[in-house]
Amino acid sequence: MPDVPAVVARPAYDRATIRPGIVHLGIGAFHRAHQAVVIDDRLAAGEVGWGIVGASLRAPDTYDALTPQGGLYTLAVRSAGPTRHRIIGSVSEVLVAPETPLKLLERLADPAIRIVSLTVTEKGYCHDPATGALAEDHPDIRHDLTSNLPRSAVGIIVEVLARRRAAGVAPFTVLSCDNLPANGETVKRVLARFAALRNADLGRWVGDNLACPSTMVDRIVPATTDADREEIARALGVEDAWPVVAEPFWQWVVEDHFPSGRPDLAASGVEMVGDVAPYELMKLRLLNGSHSTLAYLGYLCGYETVADAIADTGIAGTVRRLVGDATPTLRALTGFDVEAYKASLIQRFANPALRHRTWQIAMDGSQKLPQRLVATVRERLGKGMAAGAPALGIAAWMRYVTGIDEKGAAIDVRDPMAGRLADIAREAGPVAERLAPALLSLSEVFGELAADPRLVRPVTAALASLYAVGAKETARRFQAGELAL
Ligand code: CS2
C-alpha cells in the first residue's frame, strides 16, 4: 500500500485474505465508483469471500492501468466542499475478455463465483431497445451463436451457464446494474432466448433456474480526465493511473432474490426490496430523462458540462418542467421521499466540482431515449395528457444527431445507429416537417408511437423551433410557457 496522507481512507482489511465471489463484466468508472465501493465496505466488515474479478469486454485500458497497482484505485468524491479521497481495494483482478477469453470463462465457471454483475451500457445487452427482445441479427449475437469463444456479455454468460450446468455446478445470480427498465427481466429475457437458440433444453433451463434480480443504480460518475489524474496525484502524493471521480450521492436498490447467496448489502446502505420497478421508473424518467435533455439542449447551446447547462435559466426551467411532466407517470413508493429526490436533482446537476460533459451523456441516444423520454410520453398519452417536455428532449436529440451544430461545426455523434441516423438526416435535410417524422419512424426507438400525431406534432414543433431560433431561445420559450408541446 503506497504511503498516502492519513486523511485518505484505505481498505480496512488485509487484501491477501480476499477470495473472489463476484465477476463483474464491464469494469468502467461507474462500477468502480458504485458497486465496488459497497463491496469494499463488506470486505472491511469481514465478508472476505466477495472480492471482485473485473472484466473489460473490449479495451485493455483498465487492465493496463489497474494491474500494476494490484487492482487498487482512488475514488475522489467531489462537491462544493473539499474533495474526499478513498482507496478502494475490492477489485482483486482485472481481465480483458478479447485477450484472455479462456481465463475469463474459467473464472466464471469457478463454483466460488456466486454473482455475475454487469455494467455493459444499454447497447451491451444486444437487444431491441423498444421491445427488450434479443436482437437476433446483432453481429455479436450471430458470432456468439457459432463460436465457443463468445464476445458479448450475453454469449459469455450463456456459455458459462452451460458449462456449469454440465459440471453440476449451481448457476450464479446475474445482476444487471445498467440503466434499463426492468434490467433483471431484460437480461434474463435475452439470456434465455440466446440459450434457446443454442439449444432448446438449455433455454428452458435458463428460464427455470437463473436468478436475475432487478436493480436501480444511481451515482453521477463522469469519465476521468487527465486533469483529474493530476489533481488526485497532487493530493495523494502518488500517481494513480486510473482514479474515478463521483458526486457524494449514491443509491442502490436491489430486488432481494439471490438463491446462490450474497453479501449483506443492506448493512452498507443498499436498499433490498421486493419490487424495484417504482425506483427504476423514478430514476430513469427523472434523473436520466433530465440528463439526456440537458445533454442535447446543452450541447447545442455550446455548454461543455451539465453544470454549465443547468446554470442557463431556460434549460433549468425546462428540466423542472420535465420532472413535473414525468411525475404523473411514476408509481407510488412507500418509505421513500420522491419529492426530496426531485428537489435534490437540480443541485446534483449543478455540482460545480464535477465536470460532466454534455457530449458524454449524449452518447448512445438511440438506446437511452426509449426508457428516459419515450416511455414517459407513452404513459402521458395513455392518461390523456399531452406529450409535454419529453417532446423537446426528443427534438433536441434529433437536432443533435444531424451531426451539425448551430454554428455549422461537425458533432461527433457516437451511437450504434449513427450510420442510419446520419443517412436519415441527410435525406430529410434541415427541415423539421421532414426530419421529425423520418426519425420517429425508427421503431427500435419509438415503437408503436412512430406515426402517432400526438407525438409527431409536438416533436415537429419543437424541432422547428430549434431550427428557427436555436436551443437556448427554444428552452427559454418552453419554460416561459411560450411554446406548447
Ligand atoms: C447518464 C448516466 O451518461 C448517462 O447517460 O445519464 O450515466 C447517469 O449519470 C447515471 O445514471 C446517474 O446515476
Side-chain angles (χ1 to χ4, degrees):
M1 177 86 44
D3 258 348
V4 296
V7 289
V8 176
R10 278 165 275 197
Y13 50 91
D14 176 3
R15 293 186 77 231
T17 61
I18 308 174
R19 282 170 289 106
I22 300 173
V23 172
H24 184 79
L25 303 181
I27 181 162
F30 183 75
H31 171 72
R32 295 200 278 132
H34 190 272
Q35 304 103 64
V37 180
V38 171
I39 298 301
D40 191 61
D41 277 343
R42 298 325 304 147
L43 298 174
E47 292 194 71
V48 294
W50 292 106
I52 301 170
V53 176
S56 297
L57 297 188
R58 293 178 196 285
D61 46 2
T62 305
Y63 172 90
D64 292 343
L66 295 195
T67 305
Q69 306 178 179
L72 291 169
Y73 62 90
T74 315
L75 166 68
V77 179
R78 290 214 183 127
S79 61
T83 299
R84 285 182 288 119
H85 296 98
R86 167 172 171 182
I87 296 176
I88 306 295
S90 50
V91 177
S92 52
E93 184 182 19
V94 180
L95 300 174
V96 186
E99 291 186 357
T100 51
L102 291 174
K103 202 162 166 185
L104 174 60
L105 294 176
E106 201 180 288
R107 290 287 184 284
L108 285 160
D110 181 345
I113 298 303
R114 290 186 285 159
I115 296 176
V116 173
S117 52
L118 298 98
T119 48
V120 292
T121 80
E122 295 84 351
K123 62 178 178 284
Y125 291 80
C126 304
H127 70 314
D128 177 312
T131 63
L134 180 73
E136 294 177 23
D137 58 354
H138 190 292
D140 287 350
I141 295 301
R142 298 218 324 234
H143 169 271
D144 290 358
L145 280 170
T146 53
S147 162
N148 52 8
L149 281 185
R151 60 188 184 206
S152 71
V154 176
I156 291 169
I157 292 174
V158 170
E159 171 63 27
V160 175
L161 287 171
R163 291 185 187 195
R164 286 176 76 119
R165 182 186 181 213
V169 175
F172 36 66
T173 296
V174 174
L175 193 63
S176 165
C177 297
D178 281 294
N179 287 315
L180 291 171
N183 53 11
E185 278 166 53
T186 302
V187 73
K188 180 151 177 170
R189 186 184 313 112
V190 294
L191 290 171
R193 178 67 190 150
F194 181 87
L197 290 174
R198 277 185 48 164
N199 166 323
D201 187 41
L202 182 65
R204 264 191 305 277
W205 182 82
V206 168
D208 291 345
N209 293 284
L210 192 64
C212 301
S214 281
T215 63
M216 180 271 247
V217 292
D218 192 2
R219 188 169 214 175
I220 296 176
V221 183
T224 307
T225 63
D226 286 340
D228 297 326
R229 285 189 182 84
E230 280 161 31
E231 195 188 299
I232 290 162
R234 265 199 306 278
L236 263 62
V238 288
E239 302 266 330
D240 179 340
W242 206 337
V244 291
V245 172
E247 64 171 338
F249 180 94
W250 69 273
Q251 190 179 12
W252 192 8
V253 188
V254 179
E255 214 165 82
D256 200 358
H257 179 49
F258 290 79
S260 302
R262 59 163 172 79
D264 185 0
L265 299 171
S268 293
V270 177
E271 291 153 81
M272 304 301 296
V273 302
D275 182 13
V276 171
Y279 292 90
E280 277 177 339
L281 294 183
M282 172 192 80
K283 197 262 170 168
L284 288 168
R285 294 181 189 174
L286 299 184
L287 187 146
N288 297 113
S290 298
H291 243 180
S292 290
T293 303
L294 270 162
Y296 299 118
L297 283 175
Y299 186 97
L300 292 169
C301 289
Y303 297 128
E304 194 189 345
T305 69
V306 170
D308 297 340
I310 203 77
D312 181 306
T313 48
I315 295 187
T318 298
V319 167
R320 283 202 184 84
R321 287 201 53 188
L322 181 83
V323 167
D325 285 354
T327 300
T329 75
L330 305 181
R331 297 209 201 129
L333 266 175
T334 38
F336 183 80
D337 191 347
V338 182
E339 288 310 313
Y341 185 86
K342 282 169 28 179
S344 72
L345 278 182
I346 300 273
Q347 226 181 327
R348 291 173 65 192
F349 295 150
N351 187 331
L354 280 187
R355 294 194 50 75
H356 201 183
R357 294 178 68 196
T358 48
W359 177 81
Q360 187 191 344
I361 301 167
M363 244 182 266
D364 292 349
S366 68
Q367 315 292 301
K368 293 174 176 175
L369 253 51
Q371 55 277 12
R372 296 181 178 203
L373 296 172
V374 181
T376 308
V377 172
R378 183 173 291 116
E379 292 218 17
R380 286 181 58 83
L381 297 180
K383 290 179 191 298
M385 299 169 175
L392 178 51
I394 293 168
W397 168 76
M398 293 178 164
R399 179 66 189 80
Y400 180 90
V401 300
T402 62
I404 309 283
D405 74 12
E406 292 185 356
K407 296 202 172 88
I411 303 175
D412 180 5
V413 177
R414 302 273 175 98
D415 193 294
M417 288 172 68
R420 270 170 80 195
L421 297 172
D423 288 346
I424 294 175
R426 200 176 323 105
E427 223 160 276
V431 181
E433 290 70 19
R434 288 221 304 263
L435 182 58
L439 285 170
L440 283 169
S441 70
L442 291 167
S443 62
E444 298 94 321
V445 183
F446 298 100
E448 84 297 352
L449 291 179
D452 191 318
R454 295 170 302 169
L455 181 60
V456 179
R457 193 206 53 77
V459 169
T460 307
L463 186 58
S465 172
L466 289 170
Y467 274 122
V469 298
K472 189 172 163 67
E473 175 62 9
T474 298
R476 190 203 64 74
R477 289 186 186 179
F478 178 68
Q479 63 90 36
E482 295 165 21
L483 173 67
L485 299 174

